[in-house]
Amino acid sequence: MTAALCAGAWTAGAEALDPGLDWYTLEGPHFKLTYHAGEERLAQHALDVAEQVATKLDPWLGWEPKDKVYVVLTDHEDLPNGLTTSFPRDHIELYATPPDGLDTLEDFDDWFRLLITHEYTHILQLDKATGAPAFMQHFFGRNFLLMPGIFQPTMLVEGLAVYDETDKQAISGRGQSSLYAMYMRAEVARGVRPWSQVSMAGVTQWPEGAIPYLYGVNFYQFVDQTYGRDKIPALVDNYSDHLIPFRVGGNLEDTLGDDRDEVWSRFTAYLDQKYATPPYPTGTALVEGEQLSHHGYDTSSSRAAADGRVFYVRDDSHQHPAIMVWQDGQSRELAPTFDPARLDWNAKAGLLVARPDVCHEYYFNFDLYRVDPDSGSTTRLTKCGRFHYAAWSPDGTRIVAARMDLDQSSLVLMDADGGDPKTLWSGQDGEILGGLDWSPDGSRLVAAVWRHGTRWGLEEFSLATNTWQPLVQGIGDVGDPEYSPDGKGVLFTADAGGVYNLRRVDLSSRAITTLTHVSTGAFSPTQGSAGGDIYYIGYTAEGYDLYRLPAGAALAEPLTAAAPTPTDYPPPPHVTAYTHPYSALDGFLPAYWTPELAAGPDVVLLGAATTGQDALGVNLYAADINYEFTHHLVGGSFLYQYADRLQFLAAKQYELYFDSSNKNLERIRRQDRLQGVLQKPWVSLERTLTLSLGAAGDAEKDVYDAPGFGAVPDKDSAAGLAFEWNSTQDWPISISPDDGRDVLLVGETSDAFHSDYHGDAYRLDWNEFIRAGDEAVVALGYQQGYGTVGIKPFNLGGTTDPGAGTPAAQFLFDRRQFAFPGYPSGVADLTGDRMRLASFGLRIPIMRPEAGFKLPPVGVHDFSLRAYFDIGGTWDQGGRPARYSRSAGVEWVSDLSLFYIADIRLVVGAAHGFDTGGENQAYAFLEVPIP
């Protein structure tokens, strides 16, 4: 559930949905909802809910969007989520998959109601513009600079959406959930974070991405209770007329009457009072296990074996997620995996893993894998199966799995290799299957089941009659069931009383006992042998980890308290809507423009730029046009992308050259560029193979030369084929890609089109990243270029590759210039028909402060250092250059958070060339770090 807060060349929905599906649009009074064939029932329900939500939230926040809101309903991803942007148009993407476990979204009466309430709150807050911004939108359209709601901390955006999604009577939303209370108890115990950090974008300290949601909803609840509920829409309204962005502190003071420091001080005291202790009766003694691992973050899914081994999933955001084995006081890595990964264990069959992967390029679906518990070798059992949870039969010959498709759960039985699937049960009316287990005697299954009215409970499924029987209900949210080794009970976790503790239900008496009293939460209980120690996943301020509770230390406290009965909303009124085939032209036209202005000696330029896309994100474009009045020059560019398959660029640009005094214009050089690439990717989470077919052409000539100056026109073109293999990984807490390789092979010819050059060229670009310790990285690079006589020659030199950070960097063909820090570009000694360049680098973390300033709203995530040594050369004939040139350099890298909404990487470097033509160079450039 994310609000897209920053603007760029590409707009909402940066990744296209499957264009091969049959898409339709359902239009209601306030929404245009696009869906694909098969989603008809869900689409009508989503529209009904959306129209009802709008009638509630529009008056609350005092705003109604002028145009209909675009909504896309998609079932391409097996995780619950939604996306929202208001630039350039109001756009919401809804994922049809509901929550199926204890993941902070477990509390809802209707998944679409919670999701749409959250996302539509974003629309109202981001879309609202009054005063001067609204007036200027009449001239510039929906320019993101005139949308004040974008320019504020994510905390204030996500927090309001979580506040609105929360309904305590309906026991719905994260603002009243036990998991969010657990997170905040741990935060308070560690110390409430300062405003300058909470307001930063992209904080990677745990709970990383949840920080804006967690602090945000508590902040709005604090405003509600301390200053009055009416101050919440007032905060939105007062900020909506800010033409000068980022005046968040001033808005707080104007609306609440206290300056930002006083508000945050009072908020901190509010949190201390509310969350300082767990919600147990006075005098309750804590009963907790011993912490065995110290990974933190998203460690999950413990499974104990009778031989003393305990398997679990490590996902610490520093390195590749992995299945771990704990034994004899030590943990070791068994096999890499991806999060979320859900384990089941059988001594005869090994580990069974349910985890997502890319399916048919556009989909992200759960599948089943078998992992050898000794060697770690992994075998894929299903392909695009959508099996979210699975369990072995006691003899290891069969698998039962919970499947989710179009928000409908089913229970599927298959053989041990994933074949011969048979559906045992199909859910109705939004019933959801969560975690499950197979009884030791083979006759029953136990599962967490969500049903309307009763919400989450535990139920047993008889394999003889294919029917469900209630086992545990009415004690709050429950999950993570596992039969005890003797088959007489079921271990599980439940938040009865407001804290997730380990429980056990006796299958004969149905009596429930509480096993722990933890200060935060306890999940995923598992027991390897009858009467043995209980292992579980516990929680601290650093995240989740593996714990052990000695069997003799477990409580046997009867559980008698019942959870409050939720109040379900009545079904929304049916909306009569108009259905028609989806059109990519609807919403495709520009919604805004940004002026381009430039002035200097003999130069006056005016222009306009815009971007746009269709609702599905299949067709995207960026365009600009400008006119230089002194020399009557028309320029501009047009960049188009279709479904991550086709890229096309056409541009006419002018480069102006002045004398050393920068006063007299000597030359205007016109460059016409035409490039196109057609791509076919084969994608998985581990690697991507991309085949590219493309062409590129450049033509340069002078349109103005001062007396005594002149240049020969240059026209170049190439068509070619490229293969790229990319297995690099870049984790949330990474200073660089730190695993894998990126290998690019390009072959092209200059004879396909009319050109000043002819012949063929081939290029290899190999980059290898090797982890060295916790975060340090060894970066190796090798580039080789080979051209026949007559090609446009290769050139080494300059501190960055041409086009870095611009759309031109996306194109593969007709590239001849390569960075070689320490040497200037364009020199004859490093120009030739063939080239070779090798690089050896070390990237070292320095510190990770993740701290910011209040004014200006700028923060620092981390600092790192890069040191490199390059050696390269060019030549025309033979197998090697006559001599090699060498250089070395260092770069100071700062990962920054800018103005609440953007993460950027600033690189400042210095390089020295050791050989002929070398020089000392200082440079700086910006990168967009890969998340």
Side-chain angles (χ1 to χ4, degrees):
M1 291 177 158
T2 304
L5 300 181
C6 52
W10 303 129
T11 52
E15 295 184 0
L17 301 175
D18 188 349
L21 298 175
D22 293 327
W23 292 91
Y24 302 90
T25 297
L26 193 63
E27 289 199 38
H30 301 94
F31 299 90
K32 292 184 177 181
L33 192 148
T34 297
Y35 63 96
H36 62 73
E39 292 184 318
E40 291 81 4
R41 175 186 61 83
L42 292 178
Q44 181 63 59
H45 178 63
L47 182 64
D48 293 344
V49 171
E51 294 290 351
Q52 185 183 53
V53 167
T55 62
K56 174 184 177 182
L57 293 184
D58 288 355
W60 158 237
L61 293 177
W63 190 251
E64 181 177 337
K66 182 174 68 174
D67 300 317
K68 291 183 179 181
V69 177
Y70 289 86
V71 179
V72 175
L73 177 62
T74 171
D75 193 36
H76 76 290
E77 185 165 315
D78 283 354
L79 296 172
N81 208 343
L83 302 171
T84 295
T85 184
S86 275
F87 173 80
R89 287 184 168 85
D90 291 330
H91 177 106
I92 296 173
E93 192 169 301
L94 305 175
Y95 292 10
T97 300
D100 62 358
L102 306 177
D103 60 358
T104 77
L105 292 172
E106 69 281 351
D107 288 340
F108 57 93
D109 78 312
D110 181 322
W111 166 234
F112 277 165
R113 184 182 305 281
L114 184 147
L115 181 62
I116 292 170
T117 299
H118 184 102
E119 303 302 339
Y120 188 65
T121 297
H122 287 328
I123 291 293
L124 297 179
Q125 187 175 14
L126 301 178
D127 182 86
K128 189 171 187 177
T130 60
F135 175 76
M136 295 181 69
Q137 282 189 12
H138 291 298
F139 303 97
F140 296 99
R142 296 177 58 84
N143 193 301
F144 75 99
L145 294 172
L146 303 176
M147 304 182 74
I150 289 177
F151 300 101
Q152 59 183 317
T154 307
M155 179 198 76
L156 295 180
V157 177
E158 295 296 353
L160 181 59
V162 178
Y163 177 88
D164 279 349
E165 83 184 31
T166 300
D167 186 325
K168 291 184 178 180
Q169 285 190 328
I171 311 181
S172 180
R174 285 165 283 188
Q176 57 76 56
S177 75
S178 297
L179 274 174
Y180 259 41
M182 177 189 78
Y183 283 175
M184 191 51 80
R185 283 199 304 276
E187 288 287 299
V188 168
R190 178 173 57 183
V192 176
R193 299 171 190 267
W195 164 272
S196 59
Q197 186 184 69
V198 174
S199 61
M200 287 173 57
V203 174
T204 57
Q205 293 179 9
W206 181 262
E208 44 182 5
I211 288 175
Y213 301 77
L214 178 65
Y215 276 83
V217 66
N218 277 279
F219 181 77
Y220 281 107
Q221 290 173 343
F222 154 75
V223 171
D224 182 339
Q225 296 179 32
T226 305
Y227 296 96
R229 179 174 163 83
D230 61 309
K231 296 298 183 182
I232 294 175
L235 283 169
V236 177
D237 185 63
N238 292 342
Y239 199 74
S240 67
D241 66 355
H242 284 199
L243 187 58
I244 301 175
F246 312 123
R247 291 191 62 251
V248 175
N251 187 48
L252 291 174
E253 186 168 2
D254 293 344
T255 307
L256 304 181
D258 292 326
D259 64 27
R260 177 172 47 203
D261 290 343
E262 176 63 21
V263 170
W264 202 253
S265 176
R266 297 183 69 179
F267 175 53
T268 300
Y270 163 87
L271 294 178
D272 287 339
Q273 182 179 19
K274 184 175 181 180
Y275 295 106
T277 59
Y280 294 127
T282 303
T284 300
L286 295 180
V287 176
E288 301 180 315
E290 170 195 5
Q291 186 172 346
L292 302 180
S293 74
H294 294 84
H295 312 299
Y297 285 76
D298 276 317
T299 298
S300 64
S301 195
S302 56
R303 284 294 181 267
D307 62 7
R309 288 182 293 177
V310 183
F311 303 94
Y312 65 97
V313 177
R314 179 203 68 206
D315 183 12
D316 60 7
S317 288
H318 290 76
Q319 57 193 314
H320 204 301
I323 299 172
M324 306 292 291
V325 183
W326 183 91
Q327 189 175 25
D328 298 329
Q330 293 184 336
S331 289
R332 64 176 177 87
E333 182 173 321
L334 176 64
T337 188
F338 283 93
D339 185 63
R342 295 147 177 183
L343 306 184
D344 189 62
W345 163 253
N346 182 278
K348 300 175 183 177
L351 281 168
L352 182 62
V353 185
R355 70 161 178 87
D357 203 342
V358 178
C359 171
H360 302 314
E361 184 182 352
Y362 294 104
Y363 301 87
F364 190 63
N365 296 151
F366 272 88
D367 271 302
L368 302 183
Y369 301 77
R370 179 167 50 207
V371 177
D372 185 280
D374 299 312
S375 68
S377 63
T378 301
T379 303
R380 187 167 189 165
L381 303 180
T382 64
K383 180 71 173 179
C384 305
R386 312 196 73 172
F387 300 116
H388 290 219
Y389 293 91
W392 291 113
S393 64
D395 61 6
T397 63
R398 293 176 295 169
I399 296 170
V400 67
R403 187 174 190 269
M404 178 74 71
D405 188 11
L406 285 173
D407 98 325
Q408 294 295 320
S409 282
S410 57
L411 191 63
V412 179
L413 181 67
M414 64 191 79
D415 62 33
D417 293 323
D420 193 26
K422 296 181 177 63
T423 300
L424 302 178
W425 169 86
S426 294
Q428 303 294 325
D429 192 29
E431 293 166 327
I432 303 167
L433 283 183
L436 51 82
D437 194 28
W438 204 316
S439 66
D441 66 6
S443 66
R444 293 157 294 147
L445 310 172
V446 65
V449 182
W450 187 97
R451 300 182 190 272
H452 283 288
T454 57
R455 306 286 181 89
W456 287 107
L458 293 187
E459 300 186 20
E460 280 198 301
F461 183 82
S462 169
L463 291 168
T465 63
N466 285 3
T467 57
W468 292 99
Q469 291 294 326
L471 181 61
V472 175
Q473 288 184 335
I475 65 168
D477 292 323
V478 301
D480 304 336
E482 179 181 272
Y483 282 102
S484 59
D486 59 13
K488 296 179 180 180
V490 172
L491 298 171
F492 65 101
T493 185
D495 69 341
V499 179
Y500 279 99
N501 273 298
L502 305 186
R503 326 280 178 171
R504 183 183 185 277
V505 57
D506 185 275
L507 295 179
S508 298
S509 65
R510 302 298 173 95
I512 301 172
T513 55
T514 295
L515 306 179
T516 60
H517 283 155
V518 299
S519 58
T520 51
F523 308 87
S524 190
T526 182
Q527 196 171 24
S529 59
D533 294 343
I534 298 173
Y535 297 86
Y536 68 94
I537 300 297
Y539 186 81
T540 71
E542 305 304 321
Y544 296 91
D545 267 299
L546 180 66
Y547 284 69
R548 177 177 58 191
L549 179 69
L555 291 171
E557 179 181 275
L559 178 65
T560 57
T565 302
T567 302
D568 285 339
Y569 286 95
H574 178 76
V575 174
T576 302
Y578 166 57
T579 304
H580 58 82
Y582 170 74
S583 171
L585 296 178
D586 190 4
F588 187 70
L589 295 178
Y592 79 101
W593 65 281
T594 297
E596 293 180 343
L597 306 172
D602 299 321
V603 176
V604 178
L605 181 144
L606 292 175
T610 191
T611 62
Q613 69 171 58
D614 67 332
L616 296 181
V618 173
N619 301 276
L620 308 96
Y621 65 88
D624 77 302
I625 187 169
N626 52 65
Y627 183 76
E628 200 284 314
F629 288 86
T630 304
H631 302 91
H632 309 292
L633 304 175
V634 178
S637 65
F638 179 75
L639 177 63
Y640 171 78
Q641 178 174 308
Y642 173 79
D644 299 327
R645 294 292 183 87
L646 173 66
Q647 298 173 336
F648 174 80
L649 170 67
K652 180 186 289 186
Q653 299 171 320
Y654 299 91
E655 191 166 359
L656 283 68
Y657 299 85
F658 295 88
D659 62 14
S660 58
S661 66
N662 206 34
K663 294 181 179 179
N664 299 313
L665 181 66
E666 294 180 338
R667 175 186 301 163
I668 300 178
R669 187 92 169 151
R670 170 178 149 184
Q671 182 183 56
D672 296 330
R673 174 179 293 174
L674 193 65
Q675 302 188 55
V677 176
L678 182 64
Q679 295 181 318
K680 169 58 181 174
W682 291 268
V683 183
S684 74
L685 288 179
E686 288 87 358
R687 63 194 65 87
T688 300
L689 174 63
T690 305
L691 171 64
S692 302
L693 176 66
D698 288 282
E700 296 183 355
K701 68 176 182 178
D702 286 357
V703 296
Y704 169 79
D705 288 301
F709 290 88
V712 178
D714 184 90
K715 187 175 183 180
D716 182 32
S717 62
L721 191 67
F723 294 89
E724 182 174 16
W725 170 275
N726 192 333
S727 63
T728 61
Q729 303 289 343
D730 203 337
W731 311 110
I733 304 179
S734 293
I735 60 172
S736 143
D738 57 12
D739 285 303
R741 64 192 52 85
D742 186 0
V743 182
L744 174 66
L745 182 63
V746 180
E748 59 190 23
T749 179
S750 295
D751 296 329
F753 308 101
H754 177 67
S755 172
D756 295 334
Y757 303 94
H758 62 85
D760 303 326
Y762 306 92
R763 177 163 58 91
L764 171 68
D765 190 343
W766 188 308
N767 291 282
E768 190 86 19
F769 300 95
I770 305 169
R771 175 180 292 273
D774 289 339
E775 292 186 49
V777 177
V778 175
L780 306 176
Y782 181 79
Q783 293 175 313
Q784 177 88 43
Y786 175 90
T788 60
V789 176
I791 68 158
K792 185 176 181 178
F794 296 99
N795 178 255
L796 304 180
T799 57
T800 58
D801 289 326
T806 72
Q810 302 177 52
F811 293 95
L812 303 171
F813 302 103
D814 199 30
R815 180 182 169 193
R816 298 292 187 270
Q817 180 68 45
F818 298 88
F820 192 4
Y823 296 89
S825 61
V827 298
D829 286 347
L830 289 172
T831 300
D833 291 342
R834 301 168 190 182
M835 72 89 174
R836 180 178 295 148
L837 181 63
S839 179
F840 307 87
L842 180 62
R843 303 177 179 187
I844 306 170
I846 302 300
M847 62 182 302
R848 177 171 289 112
E850 290 213 300
F853 302 95
K854 297 175 183 175
L855 286 175
V858 175
V860 177
H861 290 298
D862 58 49
F863 297 114
S864 61
L865 188 69
R866 300 174 182 173
Y868 59 87
F869 176 81
D870 293 349
I871 180 170
T874 62
W875 69 101
D876 291 325
Q877 297 294 326
R880 57 178 295 173
R883 65 176 179 83
Y884 284 103
S885 298
R886 301 161 300 151
S887 73
V890 293
E891 295 175 343
W892 181 266
V893 182
S894 304
D895 283 339
L896 306 175
S897 172
L898 300 182
F899 311 124
Y900 304 127
I901 61 174
D903 289 328
I904 202 75
R905 178 169 289 166
L906 172 64
V907 180
V908 178
H912 172 73
F914 294 101
D915 298 296
T916 304
E919 62 183 17
N920 294 320
Q921 294 177 338
Y923 56 93
F925 59 90
L926 295 175
E927 293 179 350
V928 178
I930 301 173

